[in-house]
Amino acid sequence: KQWYQRRVRGSKASLMASLVLVFVLALARVSISSAMTDQRMNGPIRDITYLGVKNGRMVVAYRGMGRVDFMGVNLAQYHDTNCMQQNRKYGDRNCQYAEFPLISFPATVKIVGSTIAHQGNSYSCRKPAVESWSYVEIGPDGMPVRQHFGNNNKF
């Protein structure tokens, strides 16, 4: 009987240890996913990439908090989809997407970021002296032929 009681007591302890381990791993996963969100959403605008024409819109991917604009072309960004819908359409690449109306192709454009200064729990981000930018040569089909990046990679 003593052997049985010890075994039951030991299995309860191992069950509690397993539950604690599962809880710790779940908590770590939450912190990893929130770190990925921080990487995508926080800091200065950077990694501006023109993806091409998708669903009748010009699509630009970028990281950071703020917005991107086409220089020299007056284009209003579409705001009719949220980030989850955009991730389903274009893929979850740990970035944000900006959608713009089509222009006449071929064209050479400059896409410039505009950072919003912000402060978080363990960091602060000021507007950089020079914003990130990307020169893009767009072919007749709306896809990028060549891109040149000028990124603010100090984040």
Side-chain angles (χ1 to χ4, degrees):
K1 188 173 180 177
Q2 290 176 346
W3 172 80
Y4 175 75
Q5 286 177 342
R6 266 189 256 134
R7 186 172 180 184
V8 169
R9 223 178 282 134
S11 66
K12 285 181 182 177
S14 66
L15 177 66
M16 287 300 290
S18 298
L19 288 174
V20 168
L21 179 64
V22 167
F23 178 73
V24 167
L25 290 175
L27 189 60
R29 183 176 177 137
V30 167
S31 65
I32 289 170
S33 67
S34 66
M36 289 174 65
T37 302
D38 286 347
Q39 180 183 2
R40 177 191 319 195
M41 298 296 291
N42 293 325
I45 297 294
R46 60 201 182 278
D47 304 330
I48 300 169
T49 305
Y50 175 76
L51 298 179
V53 175
K54 314 249 189 226
N55 302 322
R57 299 173 178 207
M58 294 191 307
V59 181
V60 176
Y62 64 97
R63 291 189 177 129
M65 185 174 280
R67 67 178 202 277
V68 293
D69 293 309
F70 282 81
M71 291 293 292
V73 182
N74 190 14
L75 296 176
Q77 182 177 341
Y78 292 121
H79 292 284
D80 58 350
T81 56
N82 62 31
C83 64
M84 290 183 294
Q85 292 168 330
Q86 289 176 343
N87 283 343
R88 278 195 299 272
K89 284 198 293 191
Y90 309 122
D92 189 1
R93 299 179 180 162
N94 198 20
C95 63
Q96 298 183 70
Y97 297 99
E99 301 171 323
F100 294 92
L102 297 176
I103 59 173
S104 61
F105 302 123
T108 301
V109 295
K110 181 178 182 181
I111 307 169
V112 178
S114 179
T115 300
I116 296 173
H118 57 283
Q119 187 167 0
N121 293 336
S122 60
Y123 65 88
S124 64
C125 177
R126 293 183 294 169
K127 191 166 177 66
V130 177
E131 291 282 3
S132 294
W133 51 269
S134 177
Y135 277 117
V136 184
E137 187 180 324
I138 304 172
D141 59 350
M143 299 308 287
V145 175
R146 207 170 315 155
Q147 292 195 52
H148 177 73
F149 306 100
N151 281 330
N152 184 350
N153 289 326
K154 303 224 185 310
F155 184 72

